Amino acid sequence: MTTQVSKQIQLASRPKGWPSEENFETVSVDLPDLSEGEVRVQNLYISVDPYMRGRMSAAKSYVAPFEVGETMTGGAVGKVVESRSDDLSEGALVLHQFGWRDVAQAPAGQFNEVPEIPGVAPSLYLGMLGLTGLTAYVGLTRVAKMQEDDVVFVSGAAGAVGSAVGQIAQLLGASKVIGSAGSKEKTDVLVQKYGYDVALNYKDAPIREQLPKAAPNGIDVYFDNVGGDHLEAALDVLNRYGRAALCGAISQYNNTEPDPGPDNMANFVKQSLGFKGFIVSDYMEYAGEFQERMSAWIREGKIRYDETVVDGLDNATDAFISMMQGANTGKMVVRIQD
Amino acid sequence: MTTQVSKQIQLASRPKGWPSEENFETVSVDLPDLSEGEVRVQNLYISVDPYMRGRMSAAKSYVAPFEVGETMTGGAVGKVVESRSDDLSEGALVLHQFGWRDVAQAPAGQFNEVPEIPGVAPSLYLGMLGLTGLTAYVGLTRVAKMQEDDVVFVSGAAGAVGSAVGQIAQLLGASKVIGSAGSKEKTDVLVQKYGYDVALNYKDAPIREQLPKAAPNGIDVYFDNVGGDHLEAALDVLNRYGRAALCGAISQYNNTEPDPGPDNMANFVKQSLGFKGFIVSDYMEYAGEFQERMSAWIREGKIRYDETVVDGLDNATDAFISMMQGANTGKMVVRIQD
């Protein structure tokens, strides 16, 4: 068996503020022969996600920081190209966490086989059918306990999670779904493609001025992807017993100084509000229910999704940085091989 | 039947910032003869509470604002002195909402008869055995879902609710209970009387500096009575899955400008925190369970409580204003008649 080389991206240094190319280094690693029980996987697509920025910092968070000088990890979908395990055959499509590299090698138990769906790119397992869609689904149904006829507001609505939240909220019977994004192009997509009833461009005017006009009867659920001024605006208009699912604070990930907080925290008591931060890995028990409902919605043509596909591992860090800056519509993935 | 006069305190104007005497007016009202089904009640004690400040503003809140030019309402305990109802006899002790006056008159259904407890002043029904104790109990058990061995932090700990929270948390098996208050006298009382393990005087140094030293392993539950800098300090040290019950924001009630918010809202996501504002009236279903447990704790000598008693309806507004400024230890009541 010949030695195989894996090209991998490592964290070279911790970013201060926005990450840049110099924080990363690409290395070539010689893979040893497979041990008994191991498989070798050629990645097809790898995922770049906002939460990875958190792992690049040393500070404590919900997942351990990446180590400087080590290969980063993240969601990936690939094909088994060599197997010494009875559990996975050559050719199997697998979902796993050995992203940021072209070839992965590990015990078979660390890869999950998933079915190939005709007409659907396997990258969907990194997005709408994977953790992205599940995040949207459990955030709405379990964290914010959305009810039929609720008015729902979603920040970062054109992002991977946000574009799923809007559509799922409509499918679950929301009376009105309002989204915000940072360009005319994105707000157009929100309304024309993702079923948002109203889309606000937060660059047109402060979101705190726009939201009360879009929600004259207030909102019942806030799905927060950005934090900061959006969270403050939501606090202004949340109705009594309103709930927020806090999923990310992308506006703050790259701050070197703490952001000022919302000046209307007193509304928590006045309106009996409930806010809950969450991470999808605490809600994996709902993955089965989700995949069943989401597969059906996709089959019935009820779910639209965008992918921003960047080609080549060499462009992965650039893809990650531009995703953090909002260049993507929908899920951002890097294609390693078709 | 002779006409009876009721002395009542009305809201003369809405306070801007701190309330002052000129916002109130004392009037004498001639009460008509009792109609069939009505009772007349001589109040013994009336309650002054922080939430009443909210009702003096016109802004929407969890209870309707007081009307300018009308008599205010609030908790009171009194004795039936005249009855035209079969449901309440003369001499019955009743708990009701016709405070801010010496004599109340209304249909019997608006008064709740409560048992006289030997050796216990009826004012306890306005405090530890009433909504104050219930607020502490449901805030800990139902809103913050406190578990055995939790580390609990309580702001405004020397107040009526706060002094109950600390003791109930200990009785429910907290591993450590930390309280904050604004004077050496109060922090001494917290430790020596109310069973707090650690008491912080927030005037000694910023609470954000003191709390991490008092809670080196973080906190699991935060019971918030004050908002502002205390809430920010709690957000710093809440452990993963930490919960906060937000009961009041006394630090902000009299602000004419909005307070800056906590600069660490991103911890909601990082630590999967849950915050919930609440008002006790949404948790009345637990009143029976509470009164049973609290009566037992009181009988067993396990609960200590302070009252600050001010004499006479003429001093009620002064009592209210000084309570808002922190002059009380424990529940503040106004004695109308013994």
Side-chain angles (χ1 to χ4, degrees), chain A residues 60-62 231 235-236 238-241 246-249 252-253 258-266 268-279 281-282, chain B residues 59-62 231 235-236 238 240-241 246-249 252-253 258-266 268-279 281-282:
Chain A
K60 72 173 178 179
S61 182
Y62 47 77
L231 199 148
L235 266 171
D236 273 349
L238 271 161
N239 291 326
R240 193 149 167 67
Y241 307 121
L246 310 191
C247 180
Q252 288 163 44
Y253 288 158
D259 250 18
D263 66 13
N264 48 1
M265 293 291 287
F268 264 99
V269 180
K270 281 188 199 149
Q271 299 282 67
S272 294
L273 305 181
F275 273 37
K276 212 160 155 32
F278 77 106
I279 174 172
S281 54
D282 283 331
Chain B
K60 71 174 178 178
S61 182
Y62 47 76
L231 199 149
L235 266 172
D236 273 350
L238 271 162
R240 191 148 168 67
Y241 308 121
L246 310 191
C247 179
Q252 289 163 43
Y253 287 159
D259 250 17
D263 65 14
N264 48 2
M265 293 291 286
F268 264 99
V269 180
K270 282 187 198 149
Q271 299 283 67
S272 294
L273 305 181
F275 273 37
K276 211 159 156 33
F278 76 106
I279 173 170
S281 54
D282 282 332

Side-chain angles (χ1 to χ4, degrees), chain B residues 35-264:
Chain B
S35 301
E36 181 59 35
E38 286 190 333
V39 296
R40 183 172 293 165
V41 170
Q42 167 68 51
N43 279 336
L44 304 179
Y45 293 89
I46 65 171
S47 186
V48 289
D49 300 288
Y51 81 87
M52 293 169 172
R53 173 64 186 84
R55 299 191 65 184
M56 291 171 192
S57 297
K60 71 174 178 178
S61 182
Y62 47 76
V63 278
F66 293 130
E67 294 298 328
V68 171
E70 292 192 6
T71 302
M72 297 184 295
T73 56
V77 62
K79 276 227 157 129
V80 176
V81 290
E82 204 177 320
S83 174
R84 288 193 63 192
S85 162
D86 293 339
D87 296 332
L88 283 177
S89 315
E90 268 180 47
L93 188 65
V94 288
L95 185 60
H96 60 95
Q97 283 296 313
F98 299 104
W100 292 100
R101 72 200 74 188
D102 57 1
V103 178
Q105 181 168 315
Q110 302 194 28
F111 301 86
N112 292 307
E113 187 166 5
V114 289
E116 297 203 45
I117 306 175
V120 172
S123 56
L124 207 63
Y125 284 111
L126 301 180
M128 194 55 81
L129 256 175
L131 293 185
T132 304
L134 182 60
T135 300
Y137 181 78
V138 299
L140 275 176
T141 60
R142 281 359 191 256
V143 183
K145 299 188 197 303
M146 188 204 132
Q147 307 293 311
E148 226 177 304
D149 293 327
D150 277 351
V151 177
V152 177
F153 172 52
V154 185
S155 63
V161 170
S163 61
V165 174
Q167 297 182 80
I168 296 174
Q170 295 286 21
L171 289 165
L172 296 176
S175 67
K176 189 176 197 176
V177 184
I178 303 163
S180 78
S183 74
K184 173 81 166 65
E185 291 66 36
K186 287 186 180 180
T187 55
D188 284 349
V189 169
L190 289 185
V191 173
Q192 290 157 19
K193 187 163 180 183
Y194 295 135
Y196 278 85
D197 297 300
V198 184
L200 309 175
N201 180 349
Y202 62 78
K203 289 184 179 158
D204 284 347
I207 193 71
R208 201 171 192 176
E209 289 173 16
Q210 294 187 64
L211 184 56
K213 293 169 198 157
N217 298 317
I219 64 174
D220 305 296
V221 163
Y222 173 47
F223 194 109
D224 184 34
N225 291 303
V226 305
D229 58 343
H230 279 73
L231 199 149
E232 187 172 60
L235 266 172
D236 273 350
V237 298
L238 271 162
N239 292 326
R240 191 148 168 67
Y241 308 121
R243 289 90 58 206
L246 310 191
C247 179
I250 203 169
S251 74
Q252 289 163 43
Y253 287 159
N254 300 296
N255 291 355
T256 47
E257 295 294 319
D259 250 17
D263 65 14
N264 48 2

